[in-house]
Amino acid sequence: METNWILFYVTLICLIINPITAEIVNKNVERNLDIASQLVKTSYKIQVEETAGKPLKEYEFIVKDPNLSFISVKDGFNKRPTIEERKEKENGLTRYKITFASNAPQQTLLIETVSTKNILPYPSEIKQNDKQLVKYVGGLYYYSYYLTQTQRLNVQLSSSNIIAHTQVRPFAVMSNKISYGPYENVAKLTDDELFVHYENQSPFLTVNTLERTIEVSHWGNIAVKEEIQMTHTGAKLKGSFSRYDFQKDGRSGQSAVKSYRTYLPASATGVYYRDTNGNISTSNMNQMRDSVELDLRPRFPLFGGWKTQYVLGYNVPSYEYLYNSDDDYVLKMYVIDHIHDNMVIDEAVITIILPEGSSNIKLEPPYSIERRPNSLVHTYLDTVGRPVISFSQSNLVENHIAEFTLKYKFSKVSLLQEPLLVIGFIYIIFLLTIVLLRLDFSITSHSHKD
């Protein structure tokens, strides 16, 4: 018994003299890097451990990729922890402070990121019959504030034609995939470069500006109009364009964009697609079960550096997106539509036009936006004008297709305003007609006595 007490006191004294320091380590990290399109899509599975056995509450996640567009974080229970963004202007890093919902010494993180404009054409100019080659420069190891015990990296390419790539053993190349690792005991903030030079013929379409206007009517219709300016941001065309070679040889202009698919809501009707010259009749529309598929074909194929602009519009029934209880109305619609696969939108401006008489307007966006000042617009049968709510956001991708919520009040008595204006206008016309018909404008002569 006395021996046990002696061991207990000796252990206690040792802990006081040399206490156990708490340390966070990345026990295992698996990264999947998808660079098969113009976007850089990265998924992480991170197993984090607190070596002292204490509850792990916070974790610092670092993103080195410039032009980060989207990030999603979940824990091992498929729950979304609290995220706080911190940007470092000096070195261009973006840090995210992740606070776990549950306290445990071991945690699992599932993170997805999407960045834009990080895959560059290399060379930057090609001839019409040349293949488009691109390069990607990133990090070979998981960049972290913590020691990483084991990690792997899988790179997905668009082609098996790999010109050059980083060769740090162990690695393996299988068709259009490169596997790196496992790498063990990688020190914190280790920053080794990953370079991949490969063939990528996927469309490098960038929407420079998107002006999306949503006009709400309480008479059963919502009109949507999109004004789009688009550029092919891949390798620029070197030399002249030959229509003959393009149509004769199927290998000519492989990186050129001949057509792309846009998806609209399944209830969309009255679809129109036109540019400054008028309607573009080369497009096709297919009615799917849950969407309307548009096969848009520009008037000319888009090579690197070439631009196009057009207007796309449609109508949807208001009962699918507009809800009300008495005078309280709620509008729920997507911020943006699916313009094309793996799309990049440099800047989107969303304008919502509400019926005249709307008040107490409150916008709830699905993510951070830049609000613009509210204004008024006058259309037919308006008196004081219709409220206009406008906001913008830059660097958007397909992951940003999400619903916004717009709440406002509207008196149902105001619905009678336009019919009463029409009735009053017609009444005035009839009244003026009656008055004019009763007036005698004939010229008569009068006899005079001598």
Side-chain angles (χ1 to χ4, degrees):
M1 193 68 168
E2 294 180 357
T3 305
N4 294 336
W5 280 104
I6 293 173
L7 290 175
F8 172 76
Y9 283 117
V10 170
T11 304
L12 183 61
I13 293 171
C14 290
L15 289 175
I16 295 173
I17 297 175
N18 186 22
I20 298 176
T21 57
E23 184 181 5
I24 299 175
V25 297
N26 300 313
K27 193 173 182 180
N28 184 48
V29 176
E30 295 182 5
R31 283 190 300 155
N32 293 311
L33 179 64
D34 184 352
I35 50 176
S37 64
Q38 65 173 337
L39 301 176
V40 178
K41 304 175 184 178
T42 310
S43 62
Y44 303 79
K45 184 178 181 181
I46 308 171
Q47 296 179 355
V48 191
E49 183 179 16
E50 167 62 69
T51 56
K54 296 181 179 180
L56 185 59
K57 299 181 180 179
E58 297 177 348
Y59 183 84
E60 291 278 351
F61 178 73
I62 308 175
V63 177
K64 285 195 63 181
D65 292 344
N67 304 315
L68 178 67
S69 175
F70 175 80
I71 183 171
S72 172
V73 181
K74 295 181 181 180
D75 59 16
F77 302 99
N78 204 30
K79 296 181 179 180
R80 297 189 179 275
T82 306
I83 306 175
E84 181 182 350
E85 180 180 350
R86 301 174 181 176
K87 290 188 177 181
E88 298 181 4
K89 297 182 179 180
E90 296 181 357
N91 48 22
L93 298 178
T94 304
R95 296 190 296 127
Y96 290 91
K97 179 183 176 183
I98 302 173
T99 304
F100 295 101
S102 60
N103 295 330
Q106 294 183 351
Q107 299 280 0
T108 300
L109 284 173
L110 304 174
I111 303 176
E112 294 181 1
T113 62
V114 180
S115 61
T116 63
K117 304 182 185 302
N118 291 330
I119 301 177
L120 304 177
Y122 190 71
S124 60
E125 295 183 354
I126 58 175
K127 295 182 179 180
Q128 182 173 328
N129 296 330
D130 292 344
K131 296 179 180 179
Q132 178 175 266
L133 303 178
V134 300
K135 68 175 180 179
Y136 169 76
V137 179
L140 177 62
Y141 302 117
Y142 172 56
Y143 193 74
S144 174
Y145 286 124
Y146 317 107
L147 169 72
T148 303
Q149 295 179 349
T150 306
Q151 64 175 293
R152 291 178 173 84
L153 171 62
N154 298 314
V155 182
Q156 177 75 41
L157 307 175
S158 58
S159 169
S160 59
N161 185 13
I162 305 173
I163 310 302
H165 67 92
T166 299
Q167 300 184 11
V168 177
R169 299 184 181 277
F171 71 91
V173 180
M174 297 168 288
S175 183
N176 61 335
K177 297 180 180 180
I178 307 176
S179 300
Y180 291 95
Y183 301 117
E184 298 181 351
N185 297 323
V186 179
K188 62 180 181 179
L189 302 179
T190 301
D191 188 16
D192 288 7
E193 183 181 271
L194 170 67
F195 174 83
V196 186
H197 186 203
Y198 62 102
E199 178 184 344
N200 189 342
Q201 301 286 6
S202 62
F204 275 54
L205 277 180
T206 299
V207 177
N208 305 113
T209 57
L210 166 65
E211 296 182 5
R212 178 176 166 91
T213 303
I214 302 172
E215 186 172 352
V216 181
S217 172
H218 284 185
W219 294 97
N221 184 71
I222 298 177
V224 181
K225 184 178 74 171
E226 296 181 344
E227 299 180 27
I228 297 174
Q229 181 174 342
M230 186 180 295
T231 304
H232 190 311
T233 52
K236 295 183 178 180
L237 178 63
K238 185 178 182 181
S240 60
F241 165 66
S242 172
R243 171 73 70 173
Y244 175 77
D245 293 338
F246 181 76
Q247 294 180 345
K248 179 181 177 182
D249 190 356
R251 296 174 297 177
S252 176
Q254 296 183 40
S255 62
V257 178
K258 307 171 186 66
S259 64
Y260 52 90
R261 293 179 178 177
T262 292
Y263 294 96
L264 305 179
S267 58
T269 58
V271 181
Y272 58 90
Y273 169 48
R274 62 171 181 258
D275 58 9
T276 54
N277 295 328
N279 290 329
I280 304 176
S281 59
T282 53
S283 59
N284 295 315
M285 185 176 74
N286 298 319
Q287 183 70 48
M288 313 295 287
R289 177 177 296 180
D290 55 353
S291 64
V292 172
E293 180 187 270
L294 292 180
D295 184 17
L296 301 184
R297 187 177 298 270
R299 295 185 184 273
F300 49 86
L302 294 179
F303 284 85
W306 291 16
K307 299 180 179 181
T308 185
Q309 58 183 5
Y310 62 91
V311 177
L312 177 67
Y314 59 91
N315 298 296
V316 291
S318 59
Y319 67 85
E320 293 190 358
Y321 305 94
L322 189 61
Y323 312 93
N324 78 295
S325 175
D326 296 331
D327 292 343
D328 296 323
Y329 285 80
V330 177
L331 176 68
K332 291 186 177 182
M333 292 190 71
Y334 285 138
V335 176
I336 55 176
D337 282 334
H338 177 104
I339 300 176
H340 61 83
D341 294 337
N342 299 309
M343 66 182 184
V344 177
I345 302 175
D346 286 343
E347 184 180 14
V349 179
I350 315 300
T351 302
I352 308 166
I353 303 176
L354 296 178
E356 187 178 26
S358 302
S359 60
N360 297 334
I361 302 169
K362 182 180 180 182
L363 177 65
E364 297 177 0
Y367 38 78
S368 61
I369 58 167
E370 181 180 349
R371 279 294 302 268
R372 297 192 173 192
N374 294 346
S375 59
L376 294 174
V377 64
H378 292 81
T379 60
Y380 55 90
L381 299 178
D382 288 338
T383 54
V384 297
R386 302 186 182 188
V388 177
I389 295 86
S390 182
F391 61 91
S392 62
Q393 183 56 279
S394 58
N395 197 22
L396 299 176
V397 293
E398 194 170 346
N399 304 80
H400 290 101
I401 300 178
E403 286 186 342
F404 68 84
T405 301
L406 183 65
K407 300 179 180 179
Y408 63 95
K409 286 185 175 295
F410 182 83
S411 175
K412 293 183 178 180
V413 179
S414 301
L415 285 173
L416 301 175
Q417 176 178 326
E418 293 182 359
L420 290 176
L421 285 174
V422 174
I423 293 172
F425 180 72
I426 296 174
Y427 176 77
I428 292 174
I429 291 177
F430 275 106
L431 185 62
L432 289 175
T433 303
I434 293 172
V435 172
L436 291 174
L437 289 175
R438 288 182 176 273
L439 293 177
D440 186 9
F441 295 98
S442 61
I443 300 176
T444 59
S445 59
H446 300 277
S447 59
H448 301 279
K449 294 182 178 180
D450 295 337

